[in-house]
């Protein structure tokens, strides 16, 4: 069994890593960290794990002794940034679920994350962990920067079309809807049950931190700088993310044309499902799974793309496990074979 | 007391009319119709009304005898269309909450409602019941076509800007999110609790029936034909509607400029609240009230407008009561003075 | 207009007091306190109130200058306890929504609230504000201790039966279900959206602080000490409380007998609705209203009573307004006339 | 691979069987039936299954040709009753998820299910499929009657205590709370989203069909006829079931005593987890898993037992797969190893 460690195991993405890895036939969870709950058993923090995992939570500092092949970092943004060279020791390879190594341009960090990046030299080595685009680089990466949930849903929705040259990227608008787990386990008034239940609102419109990440990958795909409009919304539900993306088409393509193109583009992808032309994606169909469902509609010269994922799985921990499988050279769907859980 | 009648009192908009009118100091509910539940008391159908209203449900046919001044039609689409001349008898004036008299061009009905309109001559007389735009015409109207919920949220969001000439209407995209009551009380698989709870999906993208209604009013405001992209989404919540509308700006206006303009435009409106520049509207703040909250953000030459209403109040029955108040020449906020109910 | 003040206006019961009093024809909100938000306008804290109330939040210390006739205390437990003699100055009468003056036996406070009561002498003067039982005393009270939400739902469910002598109080079990607003606005992991959404659990079984309050009133009704089993549960919904109460019957009474008795008992009560025999109460039918719906079923010698209230209205702020109306000698249903809001 | 068939694959328990069996290493789904959707692919009915299962839905009549070893019946009550001898042909063994063969006394069917049982002779052969009690009989059964969800949660909660002789079964009260999937996929007003969202109510108090099933097994355990009070409640959530059970203790046992006893009783059970004394079970911790969590509290001579399951897994399809594993003599936890999914 391959040994892996999870730093930050008591957040939602950490817990989701635990859940998925418990079903993995080739790896073993060798260590779990938590600063807040250190000394406790993880099943005391999450009773759902009782009888499944008996591990004690240790501080991240004890990590050197673990000797793990893969270390998952499920820590808050700006936490592991400074520690990174030290974590990449020995044979250990790192999959970082935070944003700390997602942006290749270090100068973006002060603006979007209010921090000067301490290790810009590592940024250029880090591989952006979107397997559908960077599969080969991920296989050999030392450090994978696991994509954000919003970027995952938006990029999978638009990259095939952008690469086709049939659309105008400058008209791209991404209206995204997220379940509340996307905001993490930290207590805030906005995620207090009575404050977000039975309501919907946009937040951080035009200034959400995932904007530069989306723009970085779209710009990379097109070979020029592109700016997009990205509006996140908080939904009254625990899990699930829907991106509704709008773009002007530059040629008279139909929804059928686009659907054919997407199916060809993703034909070898185990987790992307392209719906029949004119159908819309629903988060219910991908819940708790690593799938991304994509639906394409054309309305008067404009394409409307819906893209649904589970924000904690394909949008975070499932994609991280996918990356791990690629890095380890094992079957890439291991531990990720579950269909969406409906209802 | 002025006598009013409600046809279709056992749907959600009918019930909401009852709720609001029970708190109205100048009117009395003289008759309630239901074909399905005729002969029962309305408080048997809706026990929430026990002790508040003792009326028996009668068939619509008995209506002639009611002698009401205002008749609300809260019937399914295509139901009252053929009956209309007969309902406009005596002194009775009608507020129709269905779509049957909203579209001034009769030729749109076959395409969008699969029916040939039997009374195109009445269409031209009907007044579109958006008080913020048609207040004066509503006062004297014989027949008011109460707007749809989506059009209400979108039109209030965009008309001030469209009339300013600062934006390009051809780039208008309305991404709308509705609570499940918007789909009514009819049983469908899509509104069965386990099928829509904890999920979000778009539906009828580019082909929802509210599209021509939105386009009609935008075209009227601009004096030219305009086509828009409108994407409705179903949210896992009972009430509330959020429109997120995107448009390109043609001049270098800021969110502050736009906010000032909107506040001027709506300065005499009792139910429209324009938020501070850069803030986003939330459905939680308008729940159960007749308010429409509007927030404006500018992102790289594009405006993002969020507009929140309660779909059953400002999006339906509250707006209908507002129209009634105008038609009766009484204070227009009567029965509509409640703040949003939070939490 | 009669001047009233609300101390702790930025909690849920404080906000609900504001909402209800805004619709009250005879009173005016003269002052609002908040320590946390002092200096802000209340509509900044709760945008639902924008356009309805422009008051600035002041610290409780400034209260002496208000000269209000009624002061509502919507403060955390153990907060106003020590301040009470000072608050009862001049003509001001107090309605305390906390538990600080509900228990007549001072010696219960150390055990259930971990505090020595500093003013046992006031305890005996305070009137327990359940109008259905203590209406006359409330009218002249200087200090009303507004009941807890659980006790309200349980006591209204059982007092008519207990007073009839047809049941055995020692077999009383109250299984209660509460919406999340019952836990207030304080951030806790248990009320973080993803932690309580889509789940149900009991909490504080056999040791919830409302136990001695329930027992006090049942014991008072029977003239002997009674102990009950009370199990609260947290429901994944914002508002609403359902008590399901079980008791053994000592005589062969039917559900019809009991229903007749309850209807007689509550025949002059404006807010209690006794359902037809065999029907069960639903929180949906009383949402946002001051009603308490009660349903009675008999199963093999045991009565099963369901009692539904809105925890923030009849369970807190609505009942407080009811008490205020009684204290002021005005019509007791003022500001409380709304039916339940369905759906 | 062992071939199995699922009759009624387009209901929620049928779909859940599909989900679980897709992860089973030893069985293969050889046939799926649906009368309503026959001729369609199951992934057209449930898009969550796209890419996972390509089976076409066939009518039950074609079943003879399937040659399956295990046939799951996930049909409405009273549907398979008359067909049973015909389904038990060849080597096929049947696991019936309906109530048709749960009650050993045929005379109970007319009263509780409004039908005369056509095959009382099969009733006595059927084994009640609660593995914790009937494991050995299940191994060799030809026909397993899979327990109802409510009985599963209640029986696991009380059987260890009843068998100890430390409690008085005649005081047993089970107050149960179920998610909406428990009501199935059939459209009803009570499960229409806006009617059950944000509310809680009891239903069928004292007359729910699971009552005789609970009583049958309790009576069997005690060797005498026992009657219980059972009150089901509908919760505003998709999945999950909590039983809160009350009983008088006849001896001075503490929660610790009872917890020790339960842990001993269930020590070899892979799916029952007994919580520490005084803790309460939460449905969140068992969601999507086959676990039953049990918590024990003692309050003044009365035990309060909380028991949480996922109604579609341990309360239906997971338990059915458990039974299948036993019948096939394979490892009993196969396909059921997932922890609860939190959050």
């Amino acid at each position: 069994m391959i040994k892996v460690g999870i730093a930050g195991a008591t957040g939602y993405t950490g817990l989701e890593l635990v859940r998925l890895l418990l079903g993995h036939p080739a790896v073993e969870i060798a260590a779990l960290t938590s600063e807040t709950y250190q000394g406790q058993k993880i099943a005391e923090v999450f009773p759902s794990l009782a009888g499944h995992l008996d591990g004690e939570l240790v501080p991240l500092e004890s990590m050197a002794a673990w000797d793990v092949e893969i270390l998952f970092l499920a820590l808050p943004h700006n936490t592991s940034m400074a520690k990174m060279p030290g974590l990449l020791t020995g044979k250990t390879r790192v999959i970082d679920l935070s944003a700390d190594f997602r942006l290749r341009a270090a100068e973006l960090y002060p603006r979007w994350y209010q921090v000067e990046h301490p290790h810009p030299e590592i940024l250029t080595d880090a591989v952006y962990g979107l397997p559908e685009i960077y599969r080969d680089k991920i296989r050999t990466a030392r450090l994978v920067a696991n994509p954000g949930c919003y970027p995952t849903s938006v990029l999978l929705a638009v990259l095939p079309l952008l690469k086709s040259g049939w659309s105008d990227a400058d008209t791209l608008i991404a209206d995204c809807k997220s379940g509340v787990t996307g905001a993490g386990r930290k207590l805030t008034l906005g995620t207090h049950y009575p404050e977000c239940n039975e309501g919907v609102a946009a937040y951080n419109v035009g200034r959400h931190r995932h904007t530069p990440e989306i723009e970085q990958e779209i710009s990379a795909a097109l070979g020029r700088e592109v700016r997009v409009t990205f509006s996140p919304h908080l939904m009254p539900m625990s899990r699930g993310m829907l991106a509704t993306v709008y773009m002007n088409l530059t040629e008279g393509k139909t929804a059928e044309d686009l659907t054919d193109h997407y199916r060809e583009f993703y034909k070898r992808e185990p987790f992307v499902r392209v719906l029949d032309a004119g159908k819309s994606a629903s988060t219910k169909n991908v819940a708790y799974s690593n799938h991304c469902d994509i639906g394409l509609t054309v309305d008067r010269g404009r394409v409307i793309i819906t893209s649904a994922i589970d924000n904690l799985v394909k949008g975070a921990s499932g994609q991280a496990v996918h990356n791990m499988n690629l890095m380890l050279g094992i079957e890439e769907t291991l531990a990720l074979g579950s269909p969406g859980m409906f209802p």
Side-chain angles (χ1 to χ4, degrees), chain A:
Chain A
M1 299 290 271
I2 299 157
K3 285 187 180 174
V4 304
I6 301 171
T10 58
Y12 292 146
T13 57
L15 171 60
E16 194 74 356
L17 282 168
V18 170
R19 172 178 84 80
L20 292 166
L21 293 172
L22 282 173
H24 199 294
V27 310
E28 167 194 3
I29 300 173
L32 300 164
T33 86
S34 168
E35 310 308 308
T36 312
Y37 297 97
Q38 59 175 280
Q40 293 187 46
K41 304 258 177 173
I42 190 159
E44 290 169 354
V45 181
F46 295 121
S48 60
L49 295 177
H52 293 270
L53 189 62
D54 201 37
E56 185 178 308
L57 295 157
V58 298
L60 181 57
E61 279 65 36
S62 67
M63 173 271 170
W66 303 345
D67 191 33
V68 297
E69 279 191 48
I70 299 286
L71 174 62
F72 293 96
L73 301 180
L75 300 167
H77 301 312
N78 302 354
T79 306
S80 58
M81 213 174 243
K83 297 178 179 136
M84 189 49 72
L87 296 172
L88 286 165
T89 54
K91 66 176 180 188
T92 302
R93 297 159 80 190
V94 170
I95 299 171
D96 186 352
L97 283 81
S98 84
D100 287 8
F101 294 89
R102 289 184 199 151
L103 302 180
R104 285 185 285 270
E107 61 271 23
L108 290 171
Y109 279 92
R111 173 171 168 206
W112 293 95
Y113 289 90
Q114 290 73 54
V115 67
E116 197 72 37
H117 203 290
H119 294 290
E121 77 285 1
I122 307 182
L123 280 183
T124 48
D125 283 347
V127 174
Y128 189 70
L130 195 63
E132 290 78 4
I133 305 299
Y134 294 107
R135 183 175 272 103
D136 286 339
K137 287 189 177 176
I138 292 164
R139 290 189 210 277
T140 57
R142 196 69 206 283
L143 168 60
V144 166
N146 210 60
C149 46
Y150 285 120
T152 298
S153 68
V154 173
L155 294 170
L156 293 176
V158 302
L159 287 175
L161 183 54
L162 291 173
K163 294 192 171 185
S164 72
W166 299 340
S167 66
D168 177 2
D170 296 310
T171 62
L172 194 160
I173 292 168
D175 187 294
C176 296
K177 296 95 179 164
S178 174
V180 183
T181 51
R185 207 175 185 216
K186 186 158 170 283
L187 303 185
T188 66
L189 202 49
T191 53
H192 186 53
Y193 187 91
E195 309 265 328
C196 61
N197 186 38
E198 289 293 295
V200 55
Y203 67 100
N204 289 347
V205 173
R207 56 177 191 272
H208 191 281
R209 289 167 160 192
H210 284 173
T211 308
E213 190 180 330
I214 295 170
E215 291 178 341
Q216 164 181 289
E217 295 304 315
I218 289 177
S219 299
L222 293 179
R224 66 176 179 91
E225 286 297 304
V226 177
R227 294 285 162 266
V228 303
T229 288
F230 164 51
S231 305
H233 296 74
L234 193 65
M235 299 287 99
M237 59 193 213
S238 289
R239 283 176 180 240
M241 172 163 286
L242 185 76
T244 311
V245 188
Y246 304 86
M247 245 191 306
N248 286 355
L249 293 172
T250 53
E251 307 193 23
K253 299 295 178 185
T254 65
E256 287 73 18
D257 296 335
L258 300 179
T259 299
D260 288 347
H261 172 65
Y262 272 64
R263 286 182 167 160
E264 178 65 22
F265 191 94
Y266 286 129
K267 70 182 170 191
R268 288 196 184 82
E269 290 303 333
F271 299 118
V272 180
R273 299 187 295 201
V274 181
L275 308 181
D276 289 346
K279 294 211 168 170
S280 296
S282 166
T283 63
K284 291 289 282 184
N285 293 327
V286 299
Y288 298 90
S289 87
N290 201 47
H291 286 296
C292 175
D293 278 2
I294 296 175
L296 296 136
T297 300
V298 172
D299 180 48
R300 300 159 173 169
R302 210 171 264 142
V303 66
I304 301 152
I305 315 169
T306 49
S307 158
I309 60 173
D310 183 309
N311 57 300
L312 289 182
V313 189
K314 181 62 179 169
S317 305
Q319 188 146 263
V321 171
H322 190 181
N323 283 322
M324 177 195 77
N325 289 341
L326 290 169
M327 292 164 81
L328 295 174
I330 57 182
E331 196 186 331
E332 61 181 286
T333 59
L334 286 177
L336 300 171
S338 174
M341 300 218 176
F342 186 92

